[in-house]
Amino acid sequence: MAGNLINGAQTVLECLMREKVEVIFGYPGGVTLPFYDALYDSPIKHVLVRHEQNAAFAAQGYTRATGKIGVCCATSGPGATNLVTGLVDAMMDSIPIVAITGQVSSKLIGSDAFQEADTFGITRSCTKHNFLVKTLAELPKAIHEAFHIAASGRPGPVLVDITKDAFQANGHYTPVNSIHLPGYRVNTEGHAGQIRRAAQAMWEAQRPMVYAGGGIIHAEAREELRRLVELLDAPAVTTLMGLGGLASTHPNFISMPGMHGSYAANMGMSGADLLIALGVRFDDRVTGRVAAFAPHAKVIHVDIDPAEVGKIRTPEVPIVGDVKKVLERILEEMESTAGEMKSKNADARREWWQQIRAWQKQHPLEATFSNDEIKPQHLMAEIDRLSGGEAIVCSDVGQHQMWAAQLIKFNHPRLWINSGGLGSMGFGLPAALGAQYARPDKLVFAICGDGGFQMSIPELATIANQSLPVKIIVMNNGYLGMVRQWQELFYNNRLSQVQIDTFPDPEKLAGAYGFKGRTVERPSQLRAALEECVREPGPYLLNVRVTPFENVYPMVPAGGAINEMVLAPPQPVEVA
């Protein structure tokens, strides 16, 4: 299109095509009409969601399932403000998406025009970067810079707010062949001296523990993580965001650590003498009381974001860099000295593994079953069986999220998609929509609670409209389960505003959108119901009524150390 006279909206689409964008999740409005008119003739597909927040969640699902940058679009005012939760969510979990929003004409900015909001100001703190584009000349540079910033360094969301007159202006498109951002520098290689120190510390450790997070997924460092774990023969945990970074079936994989992590993972981190932290940010859900976290361990911390290194825990060996590249260089160092160093502390490491295995046997993460009611853990075990470690599982937020993370295996990255840092209810269904659109070859589960599901019911229309075979599993316990759990344990069981008295008939609800749904209540019915759900060629809504007062264990109470876990419900005291 270079040389042809085109308008701003066509310019945006030309930029998106050059960025290899295949789909946009969005909702049109007044000031984005020029953009949608240009989209009419574009090869880029558009998925019409039913709420702008869900456009951001769907774009995230697309990104998390593929590694490609997802794109969402909304109009000015309420359209843009509805994106905010999805942008904060992406920011917290370091997910690269680009949001394009419309803005009122530049001459009307500041006049309280119809559907005007200060989108640039509102989103300043919830994006990695944002742009306000008022002229056609600024557009190509802003769009291409947005994609570069979103994907480079620590990934994150970038928003481009475009005025209506910039969309409408006519001009010649000039390709942007290079990105130059003074002051924006990303250190990817890591410091050579620190890399040597890290390799030496790993060989010298007697009780090493690998603590890997979402950075492993973002950096495509799965293979390097596996090689490190095997070369060092160290136990490894992956965070909620890092599940799948090391295959769940790998013999060195322990589990997820933290507030609802396993006994072995938390005791292991508490007993380690070296913590190898890779692409993690020492989140409070993992560390518990920071002063008591990994008290005996020296820390190697590798992260692309220098602001995260030393923010929570001061590492003895800080390394700022791309975790894949850094691990490649650490492995080179370690392999060059493996002959002389591998036997060092071998006896101590064997004892360390014996201790880890003992902790695993002492309090394993296992599904529990009942003949009378469906246990939530039973549901997750059946989904795990059907998945075989290969399905994409998109979770909403709450108890079901924790049970899924504990009990469903993920043998590859980009199979486990959830809202980690922000914990956004309503995330699961639109994220599954985006993931299924991106990966039509994959079995995709949307596991929701009865609370979060009802925050995203409108997207059933999108799923039906796009003929997406998402398997929607509602774990229905009649409560906002995680809030109820905390009220029970820490607020004297004063259950305030957590019971969900009404839930739609799934057969009628799904039927209204043209696909199948049903409720299952008996443990004996669960396996066949799930198999029917998976066999169905289209979308399916399965409402699973589970025991209402089950709590997620292990659990680290707020303010507790991670080795101070509550492992089971308190037992009633017998009076003699």
Side-chain angles (χ1 to χ4, degrees):
M1 275 195 179
N4 295 333
L5 196 66
I6 59 174
N7 65 25
Q10 293 167 317
T11 298
V12 172
L13 288 168
E14 178 67 18
C15 294
L16 295 181
M17 285 189 289
R18 288 172 183 262
E19 294 290 347
K20 297 181 171 55
V21 172
E22 298 169 344
V23 60
I24 298 171
F25 301 91
Y27 204 98
V31 302
T32 56
L33 283 174
F35 179 72
Y36 276 83
D37 183 66
L39 193 61
Y40 188 89
D41 299 313
S42 172
I44 296 175
K45 304 297 182 186
H46 182 275
V47 174
L48 178 65
V49 296
R50 300 309 189 261
H51 192 286
E52 292 91 351
Q53 174 176 290
N54 296 330
F57 287 157
Q60 279 199 59
Y62 180 93
T63 296
R64 293 180 192 233
T66 63
K68 301 175 183 178
I69 296 178
V71 179
C72 56
C73 179
T75 192
S76 63
T81 58
N82 280 344
L83 286 178
V84 168
T85 297
L87 295 173
V88 180
D89 192 280
M91 188 73 172
M92 290 284 280
D93 287 349
S94 304
I95 306 301
I97 63 172
V98 170
I100 295 170
T101 54
Q103 183 55 273
V104 299
S105 293
S106 53
K107 65 183 179 182
L108 295 177
I109 290 177
S111 69
D112 295 329
F114 178 66
Q115 289 194 333
E116 181 191 359
D118 179 15
T119 303
F120 182 72
I122 290 167
T123 60
R124 185 187 297 271
S125 63
C126 66
T127 54
K128 186 178 175 185
H129 192 67
N130 64 357
F131 298 84
L132 173 58
V133 178
K134 297 180 181 179
T135 67
L136 176 60
E138 301 170 87
L139 260 179
K141 187 168 179 285
I143 297 293
H144 291 299
E145 286 181 1
F147 277 81
H148 175 74
I149 293 168
S152 58
R154 179 178 180 172
V158 178
L159 179 136
V160 184
D161 195 36
I162 305 170
T163 62
K164 188 172 184 178
D165 48 323
F167 273 134
Q168 292 174 320
N170 291 305
H172 294 283
Y173 173 73
T174 303
V176 176
N177 296 316
S178 63
I179 300 292
H180 178 61
L181 297 169
Y184 180 67
R185 293 182 179 86
V186 178
N187 184 356
T188 61
E189 301 302 320
H191 188 278
Q194 295 295 76
I195 287 169
R196 285 192 295 272
R197 286 183 62 203
Q200 181 75 14
M202 289 183 200
W203 280 134
E204 292 179 350
Q206 296 184 3
R207 302 185 308 279
M209 175 70 80
V210 174
Y211 161 38
I216 293 291
I217 311 292
H218 299 318
E220 306 288 352
R222 170 201 184 192
E223 183 61 18
E224 290 73 19
L225 175 62
R226 182 195 61 78
R227 286 174 55 204
L228 175 69
V229 165
E230 292 178 359
L231 179 62
L232 194 58
D233 193 23
V237 297
T238 56
T239 67
L240 183 69
M241 297 307 301
L243 291 172
L246 183 67
S248 297
T249 52
H250 194 285
N252 290 48
F253 176 70
I254 307 304
S255 76
M256 174 182 75
M259 178 173 280
H260 294 293
S262 73
Y263 182 78
N266 287 351
M267 294 301 290
M269 293 183 85
S270 299
D273 69 349
L274 179 68
L275 203 58
I276 304 162
L278 306 171
V280 296
R281 58 186 181 89
F282 290 84
D283 175 71
D284 63 289
R285 302 288 98 167
V286 169
T287 64
R289 190 168 71 249
V290 175
F293 176 69
H296 312 294
K298 292 181 179 179
V299 173
I300 298 167
H301 190 185
V302 182
D303 201 276
I304 192 70
D305 185 356
E308 291 296 341
V309 179
K311 186 176 81 174
I312 305 297
R313 174 72 177 260
T314 302
E316 280 70 22
V317 186
I319 304 176
V320 175
D322 177 270
V323 70
K324 182 182 178 75
K325 292 183 178 181
V326 170
L327 279 179
E328 286 172 348
R329 295 178 65 190
I330 287 174
L331 284 162
E332 287 175 8
E333 288 284 337
M334 294 183 72
E335 286 166 348
S336 69
T337 57
E340 60 184 283
M341 298 295 290
K342 199 163 190 178
S343 60
K344 189 172 184 177
N345 297 320
D347 291 341
R349 296 208 186 173
R350 275 193 292 272
E351 291 176 10
W352 177 230
W353 264 117
Q354 289 169 3
Q355 178 63 80
I356 294 287
R357 297 304 184 203
W359 283 326
Q360 287 181 305
K361 290 178 181 177
Q362 194 175 351
H363 295 289
L365 283 178
E366 292 181 328
T368 54
F369 302 87
S370 165
N371 291 325
D372 303 316
E373 295 178 295
I374 298 173
K375 292 277 192 177
Q377 301 93 326
H378 181 189
L379 171 61
M380 300 309 162
E382 286 295 329
I383 293 173
D384 178 54
R385 180 182 65 84
L386 290 168
S387 166
E390 300 293 329
I392 293 175
V393 177
C394 300
S395 169
D396 215 274
V397 170
Q399 287 180 314
H400 63 280
Q401 178 188 22
M402 295 299 105
W403 279 311
Q406 288 178 347
L407 297 170
I408 299 176
K409 291 185 286 292
F410 302 98
N411 291 335
H412 310 281
R414 305 197 180 281
L415 296 180
W416 169 241
I417 297 173
N418 79 121
S419 172
L422 192 62
S424 306
M425 289 179 66
F427 175 90
L429 189 61
L433 184 166
Q436 185 75 85
Y437 195 96
R439 295 298 308 272
D441 58 313
K442 279 287 189 183
L443 172 61
V444 175
F445 289 101
I447 304 179
C448 306
D450 44 332
F453 172 74
Q454 292 186 87
M455 289 187 174
S456 53
I457 279 178
E459 297 314 321
L460 294 178
T462 312
I463 286 170
N465 181 256
Q466 297 292 323
S467 301
L468 298 171
V470 177
K471 310 308 175 185
I472 306 157
I473 315 296
V474 178
M475 192 199 82
N476 187 338
N477 58 13
Y479 285 89
L480 300 175
M482 191 62 85
V483 184
R484 181 207 55 74
Q485 176 169 335
W486 279 65
Q487 288 180 344
E488 175 192 328
L489 297 176
F490 306 114
Y491 291 88
N492 298 317
N493 204 31
R494 289 160 58 88
L495 303 186
S496 176
Q497 303 303 314
V498 288
Q499 187 167 6
I500 300 177
D501 299 312
T502 305
F503 192 83
D505 181 323
E507 188 173 356
K508 292 178 180 176
L509 178 62
Y513 290 105
F515 59 91
K516 293 182 180 180
R518 65 173 287 194
T519 293
V520 60
E521 302 185 62
R522 304 294 301 165
S524 59
Q525 302 169 325
L526 180 60
R527 174 169 291 203
L530 280 165
E531 288 175 351
E532 177 189 329
C533 169
V534 170
R535 277 196 311 270
E536 178 65 28
Y540 198 103
L541 173 59
L542 183 63
N543 176 41
V544 182
R545 292 200 173 273
V546 300
T547 182
F549 295 108
E550 194 80 11
N551 288 339
V552 182
Y553 295 105
M555 178 183 184
V556 177
I562 62 167
N563 61 346
E564 298 171 347
M565 290 160 278
V566 179
L567 297 168
Q571 299 300 312
V573 178
E574 292 186 13
V575 180

